């Protein structure tokens, strides 16, 4: 038996539906008792007293009514439980999605996409069995047997005592088997999530695998993971079949004990036929709710295992920083990192330091170029300014207001991000650009496209702005993707820009065009540019040099060339590129 506190908390808003389900389930049990009494009375009247059909017509009518009512109560109980289960599934999906959105891409990126998709689809659907079957059956496994036992004790004390003494055997066996089933079910879901993650990675990286000649080898990897999932699934099924065998055996033997003692007393004349038959009809009904609980337990374990992993993912990414307040983001602010440190969490190990006491200021309207070797901490600084992560030491401020006092959503309304490899979603070009500002007018859209120099290539597409593109911007070139990213940033009209130099790795003509677009975009705005090329560095108002997570120097290009060895090394290492 297993009651998960977190799932119970999710089910609390839907307790009315669960209570209705329990009420109808218990009424179904009461109707079953009445049905057994009517059947025993009719058979005793016909076969022992010689009553004809007319004499028992009323009882037969009531018996038919009880049969229909039992079916109706069973349907109503299942429908109410299904309604509660749907609510719980909706709630957990919302919580996980909201949690992933709050955590941001850094924390969410620690979980593999294939695993998340499996958990949010098949895993959440598996909660049906837990909420709609296991939880109601858990209560009914106590309420109905107690009702039946009370009725049996009132008619036949010995049979009632036998039922009460044998009843605990089923929960005991359920507990013993359930301890093993819990671990095996968790293992099964982990294997399934791992299989989904590896399969998705293989599909997404198929080009790389083919180029490296490793596609056939990857088939073997998927085969190994599939075999592990098969083994864990068979282990769960073996436990489920063993549990069903044990529970059925215990229930059957218990009913047999009741039947034997009733038969012996009936033959000895110490028990009337009607009472004996009535008790004998109720004996299987006494154990039925507990047998159903055993079946629902194994079905619900899959949902428990999947939800446990979802809760783990939420806990892993739960921010430890101060709770954001309700301060407004200052207009045209000066952004400052004040003695900021940050370390990335590592599973099963010490956090990995990325920044150590970084102090950096971006004045209103100033363009700051951030340079440094790979791993120096440039990307971490950008993530801090985008509020994807929070400092583990020091603070981020806007005009002296601590960023922790400003909601991340409010902060990001003033910030635009132009990455080197922008992400576009499957859909139309217009829909992808409008993500920055869905309510933008046609004129504002046209201005953004013109500023990004994207008008010409869009006009040459079959459907213009309505042209559909594939996932991650498939069907478009790298230069076209980056122009759309610039158009999106322009449409956002944010006062602060974070740029991971979008003109990098393009041919000279495209690079020159995007450089011109960037100049237009940067006018009157504050910007941090993760710079890779000397032209970008030279036009920046100030250059900040990062090394091993620390600011080692800052100044103009000429000043740094004269006094900063780290900067000179970066420039010369790339043949004039910083």
């Amino acid at each position: 038996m297993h009651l998960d506190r977190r799932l119970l908390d999710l089910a609390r808003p839907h307790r009315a539906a669960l209570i209705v389900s329990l009420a109808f389930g218990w009424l179904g049990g009461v109707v079953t008792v009445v049905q057994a009494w009517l059947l025993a009375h009719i058979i005793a009247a016909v076969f022992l007293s010689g009553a004809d059909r007319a004499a028992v017509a009323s009882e037969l009518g009531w018996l038919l009514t009880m049969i229909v009512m039992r079916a109706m109560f069973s349907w109503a109980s299942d429908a109410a439980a299904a309604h509660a289960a749907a609510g719980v599934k909706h709630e957990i999906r919302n919580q996980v999605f909201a949690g992933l959105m709050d955590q941001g891409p850094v924390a969410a990126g620690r979980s593999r996409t294939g695993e998340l998709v499996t958990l949010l689809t098949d895993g959440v659907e598996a909660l049906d069995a837990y909420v709609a079957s296991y939880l109601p059956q858990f209560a009914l496994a106590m309420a109905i047997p107690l009702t039946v036992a009370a009725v049996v004790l009132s008619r036949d004390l010995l049979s009632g005592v036998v039922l009460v003494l044998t009843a605990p055997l089923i929960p005991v066996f359920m507990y013993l088997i359930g301890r093993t089933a819990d671990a095996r079910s968790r293992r099964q879901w982990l294997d399934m999530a791992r299989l989904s993650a590896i399969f998705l990675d293989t599909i997404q990286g198929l080009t790389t695998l083919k180029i490296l000649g490793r596609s056939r080898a990857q088939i073997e990897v998927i085969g190994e993971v599939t075999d592990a999932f098969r083994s864990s699934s068979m282990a769960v099924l073996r436990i489920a079949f063993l549990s069903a065998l044990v529970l059925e055996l215990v229930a059957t033997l218990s009913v047999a004990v009741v039947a034997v003692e009733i038969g012996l007393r009936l033959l000895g004349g110490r028990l009337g036929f009607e009472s004996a038959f009535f008790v004998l009809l109720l004996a299987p009904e006494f154990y039925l709710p507990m047998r159903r609980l055993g079946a629902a337990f194994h079905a619900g374990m899959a949902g428990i295992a999947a939800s446990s992993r979802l809760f783990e993912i939420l806990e892993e990414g739960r921010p430890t920083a101060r709770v954001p307040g309700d301060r407004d983001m200052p207009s045209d602010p000066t952004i400052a990192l004040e003695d900021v440190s940050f370390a990335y969490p590592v599973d099963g190990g010490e956090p990995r330091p990325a920044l150590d006491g970084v102090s950096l200021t971006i004045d209103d309207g100033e363009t700051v170029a951030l340079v440094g070797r790979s791993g120096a901490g440039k990307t971490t600084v950008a993530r801090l300014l985008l509020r994807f992560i929070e400092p583990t030491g020091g603070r981020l401020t806007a005009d002296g207001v601590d960023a922790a006092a400003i909601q991340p959503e409010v902060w990001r309304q003033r910030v635009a991000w132009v990455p080197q490899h922008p992400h576009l979603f499957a859909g139309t070009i217009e829909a992808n650009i409008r993500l920055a500002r869905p309510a933008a007018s046609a004129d504002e859209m046209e201005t953004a496209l013109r500023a990004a120099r994207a008008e010409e290539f869009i006009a040459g597409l079959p459907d213009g702005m309505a042209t559909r593109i594939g996932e991650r911007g498939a069907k478009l070139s790298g230069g076209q993707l980056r122009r759309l990213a610039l158009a999106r940033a322009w449409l956002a009209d944010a006062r602060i820009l974070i740029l991971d130099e979008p003109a990098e790795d393009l041919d000279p003509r495209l690079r020159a065009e995007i450089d011109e677009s960037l100049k237009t975009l940067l006018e009157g705005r504050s910007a941090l540019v993760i710079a890779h090329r000397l032209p970008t560095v030279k036009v920046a108002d100030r250059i900040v040099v990062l090394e091993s997570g620390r600011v080692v120097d800052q100044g103009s290009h000429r000043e740094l060339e004269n006094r900063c060895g780290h900067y000179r090394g970066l420039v010369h290492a790339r043949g004039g590129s910083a």
Side-chain angles (χ1 to χ4, degrees), residues 35-36 38-39 42 58-68:
Q35 179 183 321
L38 287 169
L39 185 59
I42 292 170
S58 176
E59 286 84 352
L60 286 172
W62 279 110
L63 179 61
L64 179 60
T65 301
M66 293 300 107
I67 292 173
V68 173

Side-chain angles (χ1 to χ4, degrees), residues 7 59 102 137 179 184 226 334 342 450 455 469 523 531 540:
L7 287 176
E59 286 84 352
D102 289 341
Q137 202 58 46
R179 294 174 63 184
R184 295 293 175 84
T226 302
T334 293
F342 183 81
R450 188 183 308 115
E455 278 185 314
I469 56 177
E523 287 178 3

Side-chain angles (χ1 to χ4, degrees), residues 185-205:
S185 293
R186 291 176 186 274
R187 180 73 262 169
Q188 179 194 24
W189 269 101
L190 287 175
D191 287 341
M192 183 177 180
R194 180 167 172 250
L195 173 60
S196 299
I198 290 177
F199 184 74
L200 180 61
D201 286 347
T202 300
I203 295 299
Q204 291 179 333

Side-chain angles (χ1 to χ4, degrees), residues 123-152:
V124 174
E125 286 301 319
L127 287 174
D128 256 335
Y130 182 81
V131 179
S133 297
Y134 180 73
L135 287 182
Q137 202 58 46
F138 184 83
L140 292 176
M142 294 183 286
I144 293 179
L146 286 175
T147 302
V148 173
V151 173
V152 172

Side-chain angles (χ1 to χ4, degrees), residues 216-428:
R216 292 291 177 185
Q218 192 67 13
I219 293 175
E220 296 178 5
V221 173
I222 293 178
E224 292 174 2
V225 179
T226 302
D227 190 62
F229 175 57
R230 177 193 60 78
S231 298
S232 58
S233 297
M234 292 304 297
V236 170
L237 288 174
R238 280 195 295 269
I239 293 174
F241 291 147
L242 175 63
S243 174
L245 172 64
V246 171
L247 296 181
E248 291 294 332
L249 182 62
V250 171
T252 301
L253 291 177
S254 300
V255 172
V257 171
V258 174
V260 169
E261 57 89 6
I262 285 178
L264 292 175
R265 287 186 293 141
L266 185 62
L267 290 174
R270 298 191 301 276
L271 185 65
F273 172 80
E274 185 174 338
S275 295
F277 191 49
F278 175 54
V279 171
L280 194 59
L281 288 173
L282 286 181
E285 300 294 339
F286 177 82
Y287 298 104
L288 182 61
M290 289 179 280
R291 289 159 54 196
R292 286 178 174 171
L293 177 63
F297 170 76
H298 288 287
M301 285 307 299
I304 295 175
S307 65
S308 296
R309 177 58 185 145
L310 286 171
F311 286 124
E312 287 174 8
I313 291 171
L314 287 176
E315 289 297 328
E316 288 170 2
R318 195 176 298 280
T320 57
R322 290 159 289 182
V323 177
D326 55 359
R327 294 287 298 274
D328 288 332
M329 180 77 167
S331 59
D332 304 328
T334 293
I335 304 298
L337 296 173
E338 300 176 1
D339 197 27
V340 166
S341 299
F342 183 81
Y344 288 99
V346 176
D347 292 339
E350 293 294 322
R352 177 175 60 83
L355 297 178
D356 182 16
V358 170
S359 293
L360 168 65
T361 301
I362 307 173
D363 292 324
D364 177 31
E366 182 184 27
T367 298
V368 175
L370 191 63
V371 300
R373 292 184 175 87
S374 177
K378 303 187 297 296
T379 300
T380 302
V381 170
R383 288 171 174 174
L384 283 166
L385 293 177
L386 290 165
R387 301 288 301 278
F388 290 156
I389 54 178
E390 299 290 342
T392 51
R395 65 176 193 157
L396 169 65
T397 65
D399 277 351
V401 178
D402 196 325
I406 304 171
Q407 290 284 351
E409 294 77 10
V410 175
W411 178 283
R412 294 187 194 117
Q413 288 174 0
R414 302 291 180 87
V415 180
W417 163 238
V418 183
Q420 210 177 108
H421 303 289
H423 186 100
L424 271 71
F425 298 89
T428 65

